Amino acid sequence: MGTFTYDSKVTVSFDDRVLAHLQAVIWSKLRRSETFSFTWTDPMRSGMGRTSVWLSPHVSVVFEYFGSRSPKLNPVWLDALSKAANSPAGLTVVPEPDEAAMAAAAAAARAG
């Protein structure tokens, strides 16, 4: 389990694989100076069900990983997370697409 820290005040744990995908999407948007919301659920914290933060290039965010190896990024999942980040609701953790969805996306990319 890695951690995402926002503005040195809010820290939440995510699986390293999830965190790596979130980092790629968040860095991409912040690199373009885009601001957006990020909402997650945290059933592990007592009394806390959901947290939202407003991300901008002017607020520090830190990604810390438990493992030393970087997970292989799933481009289909990155696309789904990016679409969520660009929506009015903002970035949320959407489930990783299954292998059938990834195969279909790869076939569509080869065809088009």
Side-chain angles (χ1 to χ4, degrees):
M1 294 294 278
T3 59
F4 167 79
T5 303
Y6 172 80
D7 198 22
S8 303
K9 298 174 184 156
V10 177
T11 300
V12 63
S13 295
F14 290 102
D15 176 80
D16 277 1
R17 181 163 179 75
V18 174
L19 191 62
H21 284 78
L22 290 171
Q23 180 179 352
V25 170
I26 290 169
W27 273 181
S28 176
K29 291 190 67 67
L30 294 179
R31 191 176 316 115
R32 294 188 301 264
S33 296
E34 296 177 11
T35 59
F36 59 103
S37 65
F38 175 32
T39 302
W40 64 87
T41 57
D42 191 3
M44 301 301 286
R45 290 178 57 191
S46 175
M48 300 295 285
R50 183 171 49 116
T51 303
S52 292
V53 295
W54 187 251
L55 294 171
S56 81
H58 308 290
V59 178
S60 70
V61 293
V62 178
F63 299 87
E64 295 180 279
Y65 294 89
F66 177 74
S68 60
R69 294 180 14 180
S70 297
K72 183 175 185 218
L73 296 179
N74 174 342
V76 177
W77 196 12
L78 289 173
D79 185 55
L81 289 165
S82 294
K83 285 179 181 173
N86 290 325
S87 75
L91 177 60
T92 58
V93 180
V94 298
E96 183 170 11
D98 62 19
E99 290 187 29
M102 292 187 308
R110 285 191 301 271

XYZ file of all heavy atoms in Angstrom:
856
model
N 0.833 -1.181 0.000
C 0.000 0.000 0.000
C 0.878 1.245 0.000
O 1.735 1.398 0.864
C -0.894 0.034 1.233
C -1.936 -1.062 1.299
S -3.186 -0.948 0.042
C -4.278 0.235 0.734
N 0.629 2.106 -0.962
C 1.326 3.376 -1.015
C 0.432 4.475 -0.464
O -0.714 4.226 -0.082
N 0.939 5.687 -0.439
C 0.141 6.800 0.060
C 0.168 7.984 -0.901
O 1.138 8.223 -1.608
C 0.633 7.294 1.445
O 1.988 7.712 1.334
C 0.484 6.229 2.501
N -0.937 8.693 -0.906
C -1.088 9.953 -1.620
C -1.268 11.017 -0.549
O -2.139 10.890 0.314
C -2.320 9.897 -2.534
C -2.734 11.233 -3.085
C -2.066 11.787 -4.162
C -3.800 11.930 -2.533
C -2.446 13.020 -4.672
C -4.192 13.163 -3.038
C -3.513 13.711 -4.114
N -0.412 12.044 -0.578
C -0.517 13.125 0.397
C -0.798 14.419 -0.351
O -0.103 14.759 -1.320
C 0.779 13.261 1.218
O 1.044 12.013 1.860
C 0.654 14.350 2.268
N -1.807 15.133 0.116
C -2.229 16.389 -0.483
C -1.925 17.529 0.475
O -2.377 17.503 1.626
C -3.728 16.330 -0.794
C -4.316 17.643 -1.237
C -4.160 18.078 -2.547
C -5.018 18.443 -0.357
C -4.689 19.282 -2.958
C -5.556 19.656 -0.754
C -5.380 20.067 -2.060
O -5.901 21.264 -2.469
N -1.153 18.494 0.035
C -0.869 19.713 0.789
C -0.339 19.429 2.199
O -0.619 20.178 3.123
C -2.118 20.583 0.845
C -1.817 22.033 1.202
O -0.668 22.466 0.995
O -2.731 22.714 1.688
N 0.379 18.356 2.364
C 0.962 17.945 3.650
C -0.068 17.752 4.758
O 0.294 17.627 5.915
C 2.008 18.961 4.131
O 3.015 19.120 3.174
N -1.358 17.746 4.412
C -2.396 17.675 5.432
C -3.289 16.453 5.317
O -3.811 15.983 6.324
C -3.266 18.932 5.377
C -2.502 20.192 5.667
C -3.351 21.413 5.472
C -2.482 22.642 5.683
N -2.957 23.799 5.031
N -3.515 15.970 4.122
C -4.420 14.847 3.900
C -3.604 13.707 3.304
O -2.943 13.881 2.282
C -5.567 15.224 2.932
C -6.459 14.030 2.643
C -6.377 16.383 3.484
N -3.648 12.555 3.954
C -2.927 11.384 3.461
C -3.894 10.219 3.393
O -4.658 9.982 4.335
C -1.738 11.038 4.379
O -0.845 12.151 4.413
C -1.000 9.815 3.877
N -3.860 9.509 2.272
C -4.722 8.345 2.085
C -3.892 7.223 1.479
O -2.947 7.470 0.718
C -5.935 8.695 1.201
C -5.509 9.113 -0.194
C -6.924 7.555 1.142
N -4.241 5.998 1.824
C -3.529 4.823 1.302
C -4.246 4.252 0.094
O -5.480 4.175 0.070
C -3.434 3.734 2.377
O -2.649 4.184 3.451
N -3.465 3.870 -0.896
C -3.955 3.177 -2.084
C -3.013 2.024 -2.380
O -1.812 2.103 -2.076
C -3.957 4.099 -3.319
C -4.982 5.190 -3.300
C -4.625 6.490 -2.993
C -6.307 4.923 -3.604
C -5.554 7.511 -2.986
C -7.253 5.931 -3.603
C -6.880 7.228 -3.294
N -3.520 0.997 -3.003
C -2.681 -0.068 -3.527
C -1.663 0.567 -4.477
O -1.996 1.507 -5.210
C -3.567 -1.078 -4.256
C -2.756 -2.172 -4.906
O -2.357 -3.112 -4.198
O -2.503 -2.052 -6.132
N -0.437 0.070 -4.485
C 0.613 0.641 -5.336
C 0.196 0.704 -6.804
O 0.507 1.660 -7.508
C 1.912 -0.165 -5.218
C 2.752 0.237 -4.011
O 2.338 1.133 -3.241
O 3.826 -0.362 -3.839
N -0.507 -0.316 -7.284
C -0.941 -0.342 -8.691
C -1.927 0.794 -8.973
O -1.822 1.496 -9.973
C -1.534 -1.699 -9.040
C -1.984 -1.798 -10.479
C -2.176 -3.247 -10.911
N -2.624 -3.295 -12.286
C -1.873 -3.076 -13.339
N -0.585 -2.798 -13.173
N -2.352 -3.134 -14.556
N -2.892 0.968 -8.095
C -3.855 2.061 -8.245
C -3.124 3.395 -8.178
O -3.342 4.285 -9.009
C -4.944 1.977 -7.148
C -5.863 3.192 -7.197
C -5.747 0.685 -7.280
N -2.240 3.533 -7.198
C -1.510 4.784 -7.003
C -0.673 5.157 -8.222
O -0.623 6.323 -8.621
C -0.629 4.681 -5.757
C -0.005 5.973 -5.256
C -1.073 6.989 -4.854
C 0.919 5.689 -4.083
N -0.045 4.184 -8.852
C 0.768 4.452 -10.044
C -0.088 5.000 -11.181
O 0.323 5.928 -11.898
C 1.491 3.191 -10.487
N -1.291 4.465 -11.344
C -2.185 4.950 -12.394
C -2.712 6.351 -12.057
O -2.788 7.219 -12.929
C -3.324 3.954 -12.617
C -2.896 2.750 -13.369
N -2.199 1.712 -12.773
C -3.030 2.415 -14.673
C -1.934 0.793 -13.686
N -2.423 1.202 -14.853
N -3.053 6.569 -10.795
C -3.489 7.898 -10.380
C -2.376 8.926 -10.590
O -2.622 10.029 -11.079
C -3.916 7.889 -8.910
C -5.198 7.143 -8.585
C -5.371 7.023 -7.073
C -6.397 7.820 -9.224
N -1.149 8.559 -10.243
C -0.025 9.481 -10.410
C 0.139 9.865 -11.875
O 0.333 11.053 -12.184
C 1.258 8.858 -9.888
C 2.452 9.781 -10.044
C 3.744 9.186 -9.498
O 3.739 8.140 -8.866
N 4.840 9.861 -9.744
N 0.055 8.920 -12.774
C 0.222 9.220 -14.202
C -0.842 10.213 -14.681
O -0.534 11.160 -15.412
C 0.162 7.933 -15.016
N -2.074 10.018 -14.260
C -3.157 10.905 -14.684
C -3.014 12.280 -14.027
O -3.131 13.315 -14.692
C -4.530 10.274 -14.353
C -5.663 11.264 -14.565
C -4.747 9.029 -15.207
N -2.735 12.302 -12.739
C -2.602 13.576 -12.022
C -1.423 14.378 -12.556
O -1.544 15.578 -12.832
C -2.495 13.333 -10.504
C -3.845 12.836 -9.970
C -2.042 14.593 -9.771
C -3.819 12.308 -8.543
N -0.275 13.739 -12.742
C 0.899 14.455 -13.277
C 0.577 15.015 -14.661
O 0.987 16.139 -14.978
C 2.085 13.529 -13.389
C 2.989 13.340 -12.199
C 4.095 12.544 -12.187
C 2.933 13.887 -10.882
N 4.696 12.565 -10.954
C 4.009 13.398 -10.135
C 2.058 14.768 -10.258
C 4.239 13.743 -8.809
C 2.273 15.108 -8.936
C 3.352 14.602 -8.234
N -0.101 14.230 -15.475
C -0.429 14.680 -16.830
C -1.254 15.970 -16.792
O -0.990 16.913 -17.536
C -1.182 13.571 -17.563
O -1.585 14.002 -18.830
N -2.271 16.005 -15.939
C -3.121 17.193 -15.857
C -2.377 18.377 -15.237
O -2.495 19.499 -15.729
C -4.400 16.880 -15.089
C -5.314 15.939 -15.887
C -6.664 15.790 -15.301
C -7.521 17.004 -15.316
N -7.971 17.500 -16.609
N -1.612 18.125 -14.189
C -0.893 19.230 -13.547
C 0.206 19.788 -14.449
O 0.480 20.989 -14.423
C -0.323 18.784 -12.202
C -1.350 18.438 -11.128
C -0.664 17.985 -9.855
C -2.302 19.597 -10.865
N 0.819 18.922 -15.251
C 1.853 19.365 -16.193
C 1.279 20.385 -17.177
O 1.970 21.283 -17.646
C 2.410 18.164 -16.943
C 3.643 18.443 -17.753
C 4.226 17.192 -18.417
N 4.272 16.054 -17.535
C 3.562 14.913 -17.703
N 2.770 14.767 -18.720
N 3.655 13.921 -16.858
N -0.015 20.228 -17.497
C -0.696 21.150 -18.416
C -1.352 22.315 -17.663
O -2.157 23.040 -18.243
C -1.747 20.388 -19.233
C -1.158 19.365 -20.180
C -2.216 18.767 -21.119
N -3.302 18.113 -20.420
C -3.391 16.808 -20.158
N -2.423 16.003 -20.547
N -4.428 16.310 -19.539
N -1.020 22.453 -16.387
C -1.573 23.511 -15.530
C -3.092 23.453 -15.416
O -3.753 24.482 -15.270
C -1.140 24.903 -16.022
O 0.254 25.020 -15.919
N -3.643 22.256 -15.471
C -5.086 22.074 -15.327
C -5.429 21.843 -13.860
O -4.713 21.141 -13.155
C -5.569 20.877 -16.151
C -5.386 21.067 -17.638
C -5.788 19.850 -18.450
O -6.404 18.903 -17.893
O -5.490 19.825 -19.653
N -6.523 22.443 -13.413
C -7.028 22.203 -12.073
C -8.232 21.280 -12.174
O -8.953 21.292 -13.175
C -7.435 23.517 -11.388
O -8.435 24.146 -12.164
C -6.239 24.443 -11.242
N -8.447 20.474 -11.129
C -9.554 19.516 -11.153
C -9.745 18.949 -9.754
O -8.887 19.095 -8.888
C -9.272 18.385 -12.160
C -8.022 17.604 -11.865
C -8.095 16.348 -11.287
C -6.769 18.128 -12.154
C -6.940 15.633 -11.009
C -5.618 17.416 -11.881
C -5.699 16.171 -11.298
N -10.889 18.319 -9.565
C -11.149 17.702 -8.266
C -10.754 16.225 -8.298
O -10.737 15.598 -9.354
C -12.629 17.838 -7.892
O -13.431 17.111 -8.801
N -10.431 15.709 -7.131
C -10.102 14.291 -6.952
C -10.877 13.829 -5.726
O -10.730 14.392 -4.632
C -8.600 14.114 -6.771
C -8.145 12.713 -6.455
C -8.814 11.589 -6.947
C -7.027 12.511 -5.679
C -8.377 10.306 -6.652
C -6.570 11.230 -5.382
C -7.258 10.129 -5.873
N -11.723 12.829 -5.905
C -12.555 12.299 -4.831
C -12.297 10.814 -4.676
O -12.189 10.094 -5.667
C -14.051 12.527 -5.150
O -14.266 13.932 -5.322
C -14.949 11.998 -4.042
N -12.187 10.374 -3.427
C -12.010 8.952 -3.161
C -12.802 8.571 -1.925
O -13.154 9.411 -1.112
C -10.528 8.615 -2.978
C -9.893 9.267 -1.796
C -9.858 8.792 -0.511
C -9.215 10.522 -1.768
N -9.198 9.673 0.308
C -8.791 10.744 -0.440
C -8.922 11.478 -2.737
C -8.101 11.887 -0.062
C -8.235 12.607 -2.351
C -7.823 12.804 -1.042
N -13.079 7.286 -1.819
C -13.705 6.762 -0.614
C -12.619 6.106 0.223
O -11.664 5.552 -0.310
C -14.806 5.731 -0.941
O -14.239 4.684 -1.717
C -15.951 6.367 -1.712
N -12.774 6.200 1.523
C -11.776 5.656 2.433
C -12.474 4.946 3.588
O -12.578 5.492 4.679
C -10.866 6.766 2.943
C -9.648 6.240 3.678
O -9.475 5.004 3.752
O -8.873 7.059 4.184
N -12.952 3.739 3.332
C -13.680 3.022 4.387
C -12.788 2.614 5.559
O -13.284 2.263 6.619
C -14.230 1.787 3.667
C -13.338 1.587 2.495
C -12.859 2.966 2.107
N -11.471 2.678 5.399
C -10.560 2.269 6.463
C -10.490 3.303 7.596
O -10.197 2.961 8.724
C -9.145 2.029 5.909
C -9.083 0.959 4.833
S -9.665 -0.637 5.388
C -8.301 -1.125 6.412
N -10.760 4.549 7.299
C -10.697 5.595 8.323
C -12.037 5.687 9.042
O -13.081 5.801 8.426
C -10.351 6.942 7.691
C -8.912 6.975 7.212
C -8.563 8.272 6.546
N -8.796 9.414 7.421
C -8.766 10.660 6.985
N -8.542 10.920 5.722
N -8.982 11.652 7.817
N -11.999 5.667 10.316
C -13.207 5.707 11.132
C -13.968 7.017 10.906
O -13.407 8.099 11.033
C -12.835 5.569 12.602
O -13.976 5.712 13.407
N -15.240 6.889 10.572
C -16.087 8.057 10.404
C -15.909 8.794 9.098
O -16.564 9.796 8.866
N -15.026 8.327 8.242
C -14.787 9.016 6.975
C -15.245 8.119 5.832
O -14.772 7.001 5.703
C -13.297 9.324 6.795
C -12.705 10.201 7.885
S -13.385 11.849 7.921
C -12.581 12.545 6.512
N -16.153 8.617 5.028
C -16.606 7.830 3.903
C -16.031 8.308 2.584
O -15.686 7.522 1.725
N -15.911 9.641 2.418
C -15.483 10.188 1.143
C -14.721 11.481 1.386
O -15.068 12.260 2.257
C -16.715 10.456 0.288
C -16.454 10.960 -1.082
C -17.737 10.975 -1.900
N -18.826 11.611 -1.192
C -19.437 12.722 -1.574
N -19.077 13.322 -2.678
N -20.407 13.239 -0.864
N -13.678 11.664 0.591
C -12.878 12.882 0.679
C -12.702 13.442 -0.723
O -12.495 12.686 -1.673
C -11.484 12.590 1.285
O -11.654 11.992 2.563
C -10.657 13.854 1.429
N -12.778 14.767 -0.843
C -12.528 15.451 -2.120
C -11.507 16.552 -1.894
O -11.559 17.248 -0.875
C -13.806 16.076 -2.676
O -14.727 15.102 -3.061
N -10.599 16.696 -2.848
C -9.627 17.787 -2.821
C -9.610 18.451 -4.196
O -9.979 17.836 -5.195
C -8.199 17.302 -2.443
C -8.169 16.772 -1.018
C -7.691 16.259 -3.415
N -9.203 19.710 -4.212
C -9.059 20.448 -5.460
C -7.569 20.464 -5.801
O -6.761 21.002 -5.038
C -9.592 21.863 -5.301
C -9.629 22.623 -6.588
C -8.817 23.659 -6.941
C -10.518 22.418 -7.675
N -9.143 24.096 -8.198
C -10.191 23.359 -8.679
C -11.559 21.529 -7.925
C -10.864 23.438 -9.882
C -12.228 21.609 -9.125
C -11.878 22.550 -10.097
N -7.208 19.839 -6.905
C -5.808 19.756 -7.301
C -5.461 20.888 -8.263
O -6.207 21.174 -9.189
C -5.527 18.418 -7.973
C -5.649 17.197 -7.054
C -5.562 15.917 -7.843
C -4.567 17.232 -6.006
N -4.324 21.501 -7.989
C -3.802 22.538 -8.873
C -2.287 22.442 -8.843
O -1.714 21.859 -7.919
C -4.267 23.930 -8.424
O -3.466 24.411 -7.381
N -1.627 23.026 -9.827
C -0.164 22.977 -9.853
C 0.480 23.704 -8.673
O 1.673 23.567 -8.439
C 0.197 23.670 -11.171
C -1.025 23.614 -12.000
C -2.176 23.622 -11.044
N -0.291 24.458 -7.899
C 0.260 25.257 -6.813
C 0.164 24.583 -5.446
O 0.565 25.172 -4.443
C -0.438 26.614 -6.768
C -0.422 27.299 -8.101
N 0.718 27.815 -8.659
C -1.404 27.487 -9.008
C 0.435 28.317 -9.853
N -0.842 28.131 -10.085
N -0.375 23.374 -5.404
C -0.514 22.642 -4.146
C 0.333 21.377 -4.246
O 0.302 20.670 -5.250
C -1.986 22.282 -3.874
C -2.114 21.481 -2.592
C -2.844 23.541 -3.805
N 1.093 21.100 -3.196
C 1.980 19.940 -3.256
C 1.200 18.630 -3.108
O 0.259 18.542 -2.320
C 3.065 20.026 -2.181
O 2.505 19.845 -0.907
N 1.593 17.674 -3.911
C 1.079 16.313 -3.798
C 2.290 15.383 -3.779
O 3.290 15.630 -4.447
C 0.104 15.929 -4.936
C -1.178 16.726 -4.846
C 0.725 16.102 -6.299
N 2.186 14.331 -2.970
C 3.283 13.390 -2.821
C 2.735 11.993 -3.000
O 1.691 11.644 -2.435
C 3.942 13.525 -1.422
C 5.065 12.511 -1.256
C 4.444 14.937 -1.198
N 3.435 11.186 -3.791
C 3.098 9.784 -3.995
C 4.226 8.959 -3.393
O 5.374 9.090 -3.813
C 2.981 9.468 -5.491
C 1.906 10.254 -6.185
C 2.170 11.515 -6.695
C 0.635 9.728 -6.328
C 1.174 12.241 -7.343
C -0.359 10.445 -6.972
C -0.091 11.705 -7.479
N 3.907 8.134 -2.409
C 4.905 7.271 -1.784
C 4.458 5.828 -1.938
O 3.301 5.502 -1.663
C 5.064 7.598 -0.297
C 5.619 8.989 -0.053
C 5.757 9.288 1.414
O 4.744 9.654 2.032
O 6.878 9.130 1.931
N 5.385 4.992 -2.379
C 5.073 3.591 -2.678
C 5.702 2.667 -1.656
O 6.817 2.900 -1.199
C 5.571 3.235 -4.076
C 4.829 3.988 -5.154
C 5.279 5.232 -5.585
C 3.678 3.465 -5.716
C 4.591 5.942 -6.553
C 2.988 4.172 -6.690
C 3.448 5.401 -7.100
O 2.767 6.102 -8.050
N 4.990 1.598 -1.339
C 5.525 0.583 -0.444
C 6.566 -0.260 -1.166
O 7.639 -0.507 -0.660
C 4.391 -0.309 0.086
C 4.887 -1.410 0.966
C 5.315 -1.148 2.252
C 4.959 -2.712 0.503
C 5.790 -2.159 3.069
C 5.438 -3.733 1.301
C 5.852 -3.456 2.584
N 6.236 -0.681 -2.397
C 7.142 -1.523 -3.171
C 8.151 -0.708 -3.949
O 7.947 0.471 -4.233
N 9.261 -1.351 -4.312
C 10.309 -0.644 -5.047
C 10.139 -0.755 -6.565
O 10.775 -0.013 -7.301
C 11.682 -1.186 -4.644
O 11.761 -2.566 -4.942
N 9.306 -1.687 -7.018
C 9.124 -1.871 -8.465
C 7.891 -1.119 -8.952
O 6.846 -1.143 -8.311
C 8.978 -3.355 -8.791
C 10.257 -4.110 -8.500
C 10.215 -5.564 -8.787
N 9.096 -6.026 -9.578
C 8.884 -7.255 -9.928
N 9.719 -8.191 -9.542
N 7.851 -7.603 -10.644
N 8.045 -0.458 -10.093
C 6.919 0.263 -10.688
C 5.999 -0.720 -11.407
O 6.475 -1.514 -12.222
C 7.414 1.299 -11.691
O 8.193 2.260 -11.047
N 4.696 -0.655 -11.130
C 3.775 -1.543 -11.834
C 3.671 -1.156 -13.310
O 3.859 0.016 -13.670
C 2.434 -1.323 -11.142
C 2.660 -0.366 -10.042
C 4.040 0.167 -10.150
N 3.390 -2.125 -14.147
C 3.147 -1.849 -15.567
C 1.816 -1.117 -15.681
O 0.821 -1.537 -15.103
C 3.106 -3.155 -16.359
C 2.934 -2.917 -17.835
C 3.012 -4.195 -18.625
C 2.949 -3.825 -20.085
N 2.197 -4.722 -20.873
N 1.819 -0.009 -16.400
C 0.605 0.789 -16.526
C -0.302 0.225 -17.612
O 0.157 -0.171 -18.687
C 0.948 2.244 -16.823
C 1.725 2.971 -15.717
C 2.023 4.405 -16.136
C 0.979 2.935 -14.408
N -1.584 0.214 -17.329
C -2.619 -0.271 -18.237
C -3.172 0.934 -18.993
O -3.852 1.780 -18.405
C -3.706 -0.959 -17.399
C -4.914 -1.381 -18.199
O -5.143 -0.921 -19.298
N -5.704 -2.255 -17.617
N -2.913 1.044 -20.307
C -3.351 2.223 -21.058
C -4.867 2.388 -21.102
O -5.370 3.507 -21.155
C -2.763 2.024 -22.458
C -2.319 0.615 -22.520
C -2.135 0.119 -21.128
N -5.611 1.286 -21.070
C -7.073 1.373 -21.082
C -7.568 1.977 -19.768
O -8.476 2.806 -19.745
C -7.708 -0.015 -21.351
C -9.219 0.052 -21.283
C -7.256 -0.553 -22.699
N -6.956 1.576 -18.677
C -7.331 2.130 -17.375
C -6.929 3.593 -17.283
O -7.677 4.427 -16.761
C -6.695 1.313 -16.265
C -7.272 1.517 -14.904
C -8.430 2.171 -14.576
C -6.719 1.060 -13.671
N -8.625 2.143 -13.213
C -7.590 1.465 -12.643
C -5.576 0.345 -13.355
C -7.345 1.173 -11.308
C -5.339 0.055 -12.022
C -6.216 0.456 -11.012
N -5.739 3.934 -17.800
C -5.320 5.341 -17.811
C -6.321 6.196 -18.573
O -6.662 7.305 -18.148
C -3.931 5.487 -18.436
C -2.760 4.963 -17.607
C -1.479 5.014 -18.431
C -2.615 5.744 -16.316
N -6.813 5.681 -19.683
C -7.808 6.409 -20.472
C -9.093 6.606 -19.668
O -9.665 7.697 -19.662
C -8.086 5.666 -21.784
C -9.010 6.434 -22.690
O -8.710 7.604 -23.018
O -10.058 5.865 -23.076
N -9.543 5.554 -18.986
C -10.771 5.652 -18.180
C -10.594 6.655 -17.035
O -11.494 7.460 -16.758
C -11.153 4.279 -17.642
N -9.448 6.625 -16.382
C -9.180 7.579 -15.301
C -9.074 9.007 -15.836
O -9.567 9.950 -15.208
C -7.899 7.186 -14.556
C -7.987 5.929 -13.691
C -6.585 5.448 -13.310
C -8.835 6.169 -12.452
N -8.458 9.166 -16.996
C -8.340 10.497 -17.608
C -9.704 11.051 -17.969
O -9.973 12.247 -17.769
C -7.449 10.444 -18.846
O -6.133 10.138 -18.482
N -10.567 10.199 -18.506
C -11.930 10.646 -18.837
C -12.668 11.075 -17.577
O -13.384 12.071 -17.587
C -12.687 9.547 -19.568
C -12.248 9.398 -21.004
C -12.997 8.299 -21.708
C -12.485 8.182 -23.141
N -13.046 7.030 -23.837
N -12.483 10.331 -16.503
C -13.108 10.720 -15.234
C -12.569 12.066 -14.775
O -13.328 12.944 -14.352
C -12.870 9.646 -14.168
N -11.257 12.260 -14.854
C -10.633 13.513 -14.410
C -11.122 14.700 -15.231
O -11.215 15.808 -14.716
C -9.117 13.403 -14.492
N -11.460 14.465 -16.485
C -11.920 15.540 -17.354
C -13.424 15.772 -17.276
O -13.937 16.687 -17.908
C -11.520 15.248 -18.804
C -10.026 15.363 -19.003
O -9.364 16.187 -18.390
N -9.477 14.518 -19.851
N -14.122 14.964 -16.499
C -15.573 15.101 -16.369
C -15.915 16.157 -15.316
O -15.058 16.523 -14.500
C -16.189 13.757 -15.962
O -15.925 13.488 -14.595
N -17.157 16.632 -15.302
C -17.551 17.600 -14.274
C -17.397 17.066 -12.841
O -17.147 17.837 -11.923
C -19.025 17.878 -14.587
C -19.164 17.566 -16.042
C -18.212 16.430 -16.295
N -17.511 15.767 -12.652
C -17.380 15.175 -11.319
C -15.927 15.078 -10.881
O -15.640 14.936 -9.695
C -18.027 13.790 -11.288
N -14.993 15.136 -11.803
C -13.575 15.058 -11.469
C -13.066 13.625 -11.375
O -13.781 12.660 -11.611
N -11.806 13.521 -11.003
C -11.133 12.228 -10.922
C -11.687 11.403 -9.769
O -11.792 11.886 -8.643
C -9.622 12.436 -10.732
C -8.755 11.200 -10.560
C -8.854 10.272 -11.770
C -7.303 11.600 -10.308
N -12.047 10.184 -10.074
C -12.421 9.181 -9.083
C -11.720 7.895 -9.476
O -11.336 7.718 -10.633
C -13.940 8.938 -9.024
O -14.391 8.534 -10.318
C -14.697 10.169 -8.567
N -11.565 7.006 -8.531
C -10.920 5.730 -8.827
C -11.973 4.812 -9.449
O -12.881 4.358 -8.764
C -10.322 5.085 -7.563
C -9.662 3.756 -7.910
C -9.321 6.027 -6.911
N -11.835 4.597 -10.746
C -12.731 3.673 -11.447
C -12.043 2.314 -11.499
O -10.812 2.229 -11.479
C -13.085 4.177 -12.868
C -13.830 5.507 -12.803
C -11.855 4.318 -13.731
N -12.837 1.232 -11.543
C -12.220 -0.100 -11.554
C -11.352 -0.324 -12.793
O -11.638 0.212 -13.868
C -13.414 -1.055 -11.567
C -14.596 -0.243 -11.197
C -14.280 1.175 -11.547
N -10.300 -1.103 -12.625
C -9.450 -1.446 -13.755
C -10.235 -2.323 -14.719
O -10.870 -3.291 -14.300
C -8.186 -2.167 -13.304
C -7.243 -2.477 -14.451
C -5.884 -2.981 -14.005
O -5.706 -3.300 -12.810
O -4.988 -3.045 -14.862
N -10.228 -1.996 -16.018
C -10.938 -2.826 -16.992
C -10.377 -4.245 -17.012
O -9.177 -4.454 -16.800
C -10.677 -2.121 -18.334
C -10.306 -0.730 -17.955
C -9.620 -0.828 -16.624
N -11.256 -5.195 -17.278
C -10.800 -6.584 -17.330
C -10.056 -6.854 -18.632
O -9.985 -6.005 -19.520
C -11.964 -7.555 -17.142
C -13.022 -7.431 -18.235
O -12.742 -6.892 -19.322
O -14.142 -7.900 -18.004
N -9.495 -8.038 -18.754
C -8.674 -8.377 -19.918
C -9.453 -8.327 -21.220
O -8.904 -7.964 -22.259
C -8.033 -9.749 -19.717
C -6.965 -9.730 -18.643
C -6.213 -11.044 -18.553
O -6.092 -11.747 -19.568
O -5.737 -11.350 -17.449
N -10.750 -8.664 -21.201
C -11.561 -8.620 -22.421
C -11.677 -7.187 -22.936
O -11.577 -6.934 -24.138
C -12.943 -9.208 -22.161
N -11.877 -6.244 -22.032
C -11.971 -4.842 -22.432
C -10.638 -4.345 -22.981
O -10.595 -3.593 -23.952
C -12.406 -3.988 -21.245
N -9.543 -4.785 -22.363
C -8.227 -4.375 -22.850
C -7.952 -4.957 -24.227
O -7.415 -4.281 -25.103
C -7.140 -4.784 -21.858
C -7.230 -4.015 -20.555
S -5.871 -4.275 -19.401
C -5.795 -6.029 -19.255
N -8.334 -6.227 -24.449
C -8.130 -6.860 -25.754
C -8.970 -6.152 -26.826
O -8.497 -5.939 -27.949
C -8.470 -8.341 -25.674
N -10.205 -5.798 -26.481
C -11.067 -5.098 -27.434
C -10.490 -3.739 -27.795
O -10.509 -3.327 -28.952
C -12.463 -4.962 -26.859
N -9.967 -3.022 -26.802
C -9.361 -1.718 -27.056
C -8.125 -1.854 -27.934
O -7.890 -1.057 -28.843
C -9.021 -1.026 -25.750
N -7.317 -2.881 -27.685
C -6.119 -3.102 -28.496
C -6.496 -3.433 -29.929
O -5.872 -2.952 -30.881
C -5.272 -4.227 -27.890
N -7.524 -4.255 -30.105
C -7.974 -4.606 -31.456
C -8.517 -3.380 -32.180
O -8.261 -3.190 -33.370
C -9.053 -5.689 -31.373
N -9.249 -2.536 -31.479
C -9.785 -1.316 -32.094
C -8.659 -0.372 -32.504
O -8.716 0.251 -33.558
C -10.740 -0.618 -31.124
N -7.608 -0.303 -31.678
C -6.470 0.557 -31.999
C -5.734 0.056 -33.231
O -5.288 0.839 -34.071
C -5.522 0.637 -30.801
N -5.600 -1.265 -33.356
C -4.937 -1.835 -34.534
C -5.769 -1.617 -35.783
O -5.227 -1.388 -36.861
C -4.685 -3.329 -34.331
C -3.539 -3.626 -33.383
C -3.151 -5.093 -33.431
N -4.255 -5.964 -33.081
C -4.563 -6.378 -31.847
N -3.819 -5.978 -30.835
N -5.576 -7.182 -31.615
N -7.094 -1.686 -35.667
C -7.990 -1.545 -36.815
C -8.114 -0.101 -37.274
O -8.376 0.157 -38.448
C -9.361 -2.111 -36.485
N -7.977 0.831 -36.358
C -8.252 2.229 -36.698
C -7.069 3.036 -36.783
O -6.757 3.966 -37.283
